[in-house]
Amino acid sequence: MPQFKDEHVLIIAPGSQTTLAQLGLPESFTPARLRISTRMFPAQKKGEWEPLKVREKKVPKTSSVETVPAEKDDGEDTAMGGVNGNGRESEVKSNGMEEEILYEEDPTTEEGAVFPLKNGRVTNWSCFYALLSHVYNTLSPPFHTPIIVIAQAAWTEQDHETLTQFFFEKFKTPAFCLMDSALAVCYAYGIATATVVDVGYGKCDVSAVNDFLVNDVGRGIALEGCGGEGMTERLFDLLSSKGFTMDMCEQLKKSSICEILPPGSEFPHGADGSAEVTNPAAAASTGATGSGPSQRGSISAQGELPRGPVPDTDVGDEDQDREAQDGDDDGVVDVASIVASGKTSEFLARKEKEKQEKAAKKAAQDLANLPKARLPNSKREKATLHYDAHRDAAAATEEHEEVDGVIRKGKEVGTERFRAADGGILDQIADSVHRAVLAVPELSRRSELWDNLVVIGNGSKVRGFKDALISTLHTKYLISPSSATIFTSELPSNFSTPLATGANTPMPQPQPQQAGGTLGHPSHATGSGVNPLLLAATTASNPTLAPPGQQTPQAQQHLQAQLYHNLQQQQQQQQHSSSHGSQTPTSIKVAKMPEYFSEWKEVGVEEAAFLGAQVAAKVIFIVDQGLNALKLRDASFSAIEVNYTVFKKQTIDGQVPQGLLAVPFVLHSQPTAAYEKNSDVLAHMAQTARRRYGEIMHDVEDLINDHILHQKHGTQGRSKLKHLIPTVGIFFTPLLLEEAFQYQDRRRRISSRRFVAPSFNDIRLILNTAQIMSLVRSGPLELVTFDGDVTLYDDGASLSNENPVIERIVTLLSQGTKIGIVTAAGYKDASKYYGRLYGLLEAMKSAAQSGSLKDPTLIVMGGESNFLFTFDATSPYLLKYVPRKEWIVQEMRNWNEDNITALLDVAEGALRECIANLDLKAEVLRKERAVGIVPKSTVKGEGLSEGIVEKFTREQLEETVLVTQQVVEMSEAGKVLPFCAFNGKQAAFAKTQSPSPIPISDPSQKSYDSNFQSQASSSRPPTSTDLYFLWQGGNDIFVDIGDKSWGVLACQRYLGGISGSKTLHIGDQFLSAGANDFKARLACTTAWIANPVETVQLLDEVQFHGNCLAADVGPGAL
């Protein structure tokens, strides 16, 4: 696969209101280049969407078509699919005049818009898909484009799967990554551990990220009412009575006069916006009301240039000032007469007093002429909001400045502007932060989480929001670190100072009180509760203050040693406890984004997730070329995908063929041919790949044939395939892999693919085809058995009359093939099975009555291998119960009923323990050959699927299965009776006691046929699954006796000893050695399907290859 390029990477970050996107990674990561509103408009055709509102306007038709701007108030609003805004006309008759209809797009309106995301959750998938397609088409990326999408915290695993499928199928992207928004923020900040608070439009997400792993436990997801919309609604509640609208409150929230004050702050009262000036010089130059840093409240006083002299301020040079001062003298002073009068001192005092009075008067006048300094916003009781309003009827009559239909208005706002976060928004977010940090299991990381707090999101742009949140966290959760210096400075010089303990002054542990006191246990220290450190400090310098019996120096030294020993013990205990973390932080700090992203300094950190997505995309797609994507992605797999993954690791089906086919795909695929015009390149590529794939399939087919040959001689351990795959089992028929590949290649075009290598799904279908070809060509197919749920019908459903599989089964019956249904549902009542299979049973009854079916054979094996019913057209429920003694195989007769009862008792005890420990609202249901638990509200007789209202969580189901499996395995009954534990469609566990898949009692008589008919050899399915089977069917868990290998074997022998090479079992559960359908491989050939649709296709394929055999032609001829 070609390497990805920076300019080809596509990043999409959907938000509730705005979606960010960008094509290409710039050299220096920048904010998103594309910002579009997260909304779409319904188109004229149902199910289609338009990015803009389309309006219709009728205008008189002119000789030449001219585009006439459409007024929003005129005409009808409509939505047209595919309209591009260039105008389209149609002729109509109106009042005798010809008119035409023009369509225009309105890029500003949101009338009729649908927002697919609400509080981070996808509420309209069709609209969301249309939005993503609109973003993709707008940026128009090239074909070889990797895509990374920022995932909301509220998206579930199912949402992740749905989006992944959409991007791969819709845009054919070669690489796709879903990245959690909190993880993306950590990549932006360059920190591995952080607490991310994302304040959005309608919600707030709080996530704890530990070493680049998002901790899902305790995560605050979509805290409603804690986003920007909640603040706007709070302002509207406070100001609606004063004529404020939601739009005005939204503008108020974004303005500079709206501010969130720290908790405990008092709102200003009676402040008119001005302050008393105590320093005229400072007020004139900087606007400060006085001297000192606390007086610089105005904007000009907070770092801007000095304001300079104000109007009416006296300025001039020193000479002019001196002349003005000289001019203040009234007349000429006769010095000689003053001296001669002898009153010189009185005269001078009088003149000095006059000067002082004149100077004070002038200063007061200058002070009165100075402008009053403005108070900061938080000190002003009222402020004026200047907002934009669209023209309406009221505004049309007023005189306002108008620009493009928008008018500017002003409205006075009181202290309500400080209360946007009222109603507990800050407290709710703070509590969620505390819970998220405490939920991190690694206690040593919690302090780092408190010190790396990141607050992002456009909802946090409100002035003072971040500071108020930090202040709230400090008030509620922060504790001051202890100093451990109390009294140590007062210790006398003859008393050695103990080491710092990091805690308050320590207290010794209480000791037993002894009469009169002793040296080792002073009665004063233990009885009074006086601080021993303070006692030692005072009595060391004044021995007379010591308690009786402790006045001697030896007693002082002993007390000093005892106290020092106690202090050391407490210090060690504190160090040990502090190493494991703390429940309460001693510091809370806000992380700082790196400064080398210069483009982000101006826009702020609120959209840091998009920056982190660029960093991650560089690492995933460019540096590592997708090799480390598994480390970064927020992956989620469906049950079928998990099923395939585990199966690939354990069997030949996935290990050998898929791995071998990957080599020619890499060598011969031509992905660059997508850009070339020469079609011969693609044809040659497909031809070469088809030849190489066929050769590999032929080689694997030879390996299987060699293994079958060794099987016949009892030396299968020496086969080459056994050496390659030690876990390989037995083969009942050859597998025509090369011919099956050619058949599937014509259907699926495997060799023509350039970007998608042969998948496990391809291999699975090839193996199914190879098995069917072999069965059809080796003779008649005598028996076909089916699983129930997910094979014949959807999980929890029934085989209704309209199910297409019924027609295929009836066709097999008419050809003489016997049908068996082997299901985990265990009932003795035929009516229960009739409720599941009534469509097939009624169809067989009608066919039998009409004569088209003669003696059809249908058997139902319930409880895996415990209850047998046969088709009977005369029975009330068309099924007849067959007593166990008539069909049970010889090996099953040896099962000890006491051991079975003991095993079920142990299983029941384990289930009850899980009910108590997990607080499950469940009841234990004990049957003849099974025991299980079901929700209390669902227990109605023996029906396990009736009335299900609520379900157990997957974690509860899996924990119960694991615990039960472990308990039974360790019990005495479990040791005597080998078992297989099965957990529905999620996981499986097996216990194997014998390494040989086919235990043979007499080596001289070897039978490797799957029906194990040689009674002399006593061959049977492996002992690893003899007696019980644990299964979980969606909302319940049961332990059944036996498994499907015994069920299929019993069906074969009841029907006369049908060989495994003439039997085909079709099912969906081939997860591992513990799954029920997997066990059927020990008794016959199998086909693995994924859903009921594939079952129908498989049965059609059986008929197709049968027709090819009858016509003596190859599959390609038909």
Side-chain angles (χ1 to χ4, degrees), residues 412-552:
E412 193 174 61
V413 189
T415 56
E416 296 89 354
R417 68 186 191 277
F418 301 125
R419 301 172 59 185
D422 281 6
I425 292 179
L426 295 177
D427 290 336
Q428 189 174 351
I429 297 177
D431 292 342
S432 183
V433 171
H434 186 245
R435 287 193 301 269
V437 174
L438 292 186
V440 175
E442 298 182 31
L443 303 182
S444 59
R445 293 296 184 93
R446 293 179 182 176
S447 59
E448 189 175 355
L449 289 168
W450 284 112
D451 289 339
N452 286 334
L453 186 65
V454 181
V455 184
I456 64 165
N458 290 323
S460 65
K461 284 186 176 181
V462 180
R463 184 178 179 182
F465 179 86
K466 297 179 181 179
D467 294 336
L469 178 59
I470 300 301
S471 180
T472 302
L473 289 170
H474 283 187
T475 303
K476 299 188 67 171
Y477 303 113
L478 187 66
I479 61 172
S480 300
S482 52
S483 60
T485 59
I486 301 176
F487 301 125
T488 55
S489 59
E490 275 75 41
L491 291 177
S493 59
N494 64 342
F495 186 76
S496 59
T497 305
L499 296 176
T501 64
N504 293 331
T505 306
M507 297 290 292
Q509 297 295 327
Q511 302 292 341
Q513 180 68 31
Q514 296 186 9
T518 63
L519 293 179
H521 299 82
S523 59
H524 183 76
T526 60
S528 64
V530 177
N531 192 318
L533 191 58
L534 179 59
L535 175 65
T538 55
T539 58
S541 58
N542 191 358
T544 60
L545 299 178
Q550 296 188 27
Q551 288 84 1
T552 63

Side-chain angles (χ1 to χ4, degrees), residues 351-361:
K351 296 296 290 183
E352 184 65 25
K353 183 179 180 181
E354 291 177 355
K355 284 186 176 182
Q356 290 178 358
E357 291 177 352
K358 187 178 296 185
K361 183 178 180 181

Side-chain angles (χ1 to χ4, degrees), residues 852-902:
S852 58
L853 277 182
K854 295 183 179 179
D855 300 324
T857 302
L858 170 69
I859 59 176
V860 177
M861 178 64 72
E864 307 292 350
S865 59
N866 290 289
F867 308 100
L868 182 64
F869 294 82
T870 62
F871 173 77
D872 186 358
T874 62
S875 298
Y877 296 102
L878 305 181
L879 290 174
K880 182 176 67 175
Y881 176 75
V882 180
R884 183 176 290 111
K885 63 181 180 180
E886 296 183 14
W887 58 266
I888 190 172
V889 298
Q890 183 61 38
E891 294 83 355
M892 296 172 67
R893 299 181 189 275
N894 298 327
W895 293 355
N896 189 297
E897 291 295 330
D898 294 337
N899 289 336
I900 293 175
T901 302

Side-chain angles (χ1 to χ4, degrees), residues 671-816:
T672 57
Y675 312 105
E676 299 177 1
K677 298 181 179 179
N678 188 2
S679 61
D680 295 338
V681 176
L682 298 179
H684 178 71
M685 177 211 74
Q687 182 180 2
T688 304
R690 186 180 301 109
R691 176 178 56 83
R692 290 291 296 118
Y693 291 163
E695 291 172 354
I696 291 174
M697 287 296 180
H698 179 79
D699 293 338
V700 176
E701 184 177 337
D702 288 344
L703 288 174
I704 296 175
N705 291 334
D706 175 72
H707 184 77
I708 294 175
L709 183 63
H710 281 81
Q711 270 184 186
K712 294 180 179 180
H713 295 84
T715 59
Q716 63 269 26
R718 301 178 184 178
S719 71
K720 185 176 182 180
L721 186 59
K722 186 70 174 180
H723 286 282
L724 292 174
I725 307 175
T727 58
V728 70
I730 58 176
F731 290 86
F732 303 103
T733 65
L735 294 179
L736 308 179
L737 292 177
E738 182 179 9
E739 192 172 351
F741 165 75
Q742 300 294 343
Y743 172 81
Q744 287 292 341
D745 187 56
R746 287 191 293 270
R747 300 183 61 185
R748 303 175 63 84
R749 300 296 177 183
I750 302 172
S751 58
S752 299
R753 299 202 297 249
R754 292 162 287 168
F755 293 94
V756 180
S759 66
F760 182 77
N761 199 41
D762 296 326
I763 302 301
R764 178 176 60 85
L765 296 177
I766 291 173
L767 289 170
N768 288 347
T769 299
Q771 187 64 77
I772 291 174
M773 286 181 173
S774 179
L775 287 170
V776 171
R777 296 180 186 182
S778 62
L781 183 58
E782 297 182 12
L783 174 62
V784 179
T785 60
F786 297 86
D787 183 23
D789 288 343
V790 188
T791 301
L792 292 177
Y793 42 82
D794 293 331
D795 191 15
S798 59
L799 198 56
S800 58
N801 296 324
E802 64 273 12
N803 195 317
V805 77
I806 295 176
E807 179 183 356
R808 277 73 177 178
I809 294 177
V810 172
T811 301
L812 287 175
L813 289 169
S814 65
Q815 296 171 351

Side-chain angles (χ1 to χ4, degrees), residues 209-223:
V209 182
N210 182 17
D211 196 16
F212 290 113
L213 294 175
V214 180
N215 188 40
D216 293 329
V217 179
R219 189 178 191 183
I221 298 177
L223 303 178

Side-chain angles (χ1 to χ4, degrees), residues 619-634:
V619 174
I620 299 173
F621 298 134
I622 308 302
V623 177
D624 293 338
Q625 289 293 309
L627 297 180
N628 286 334
L630 288 176
K631 300 179 181 179
L632 302 175
R633 68 176 181 172
D634 187 8

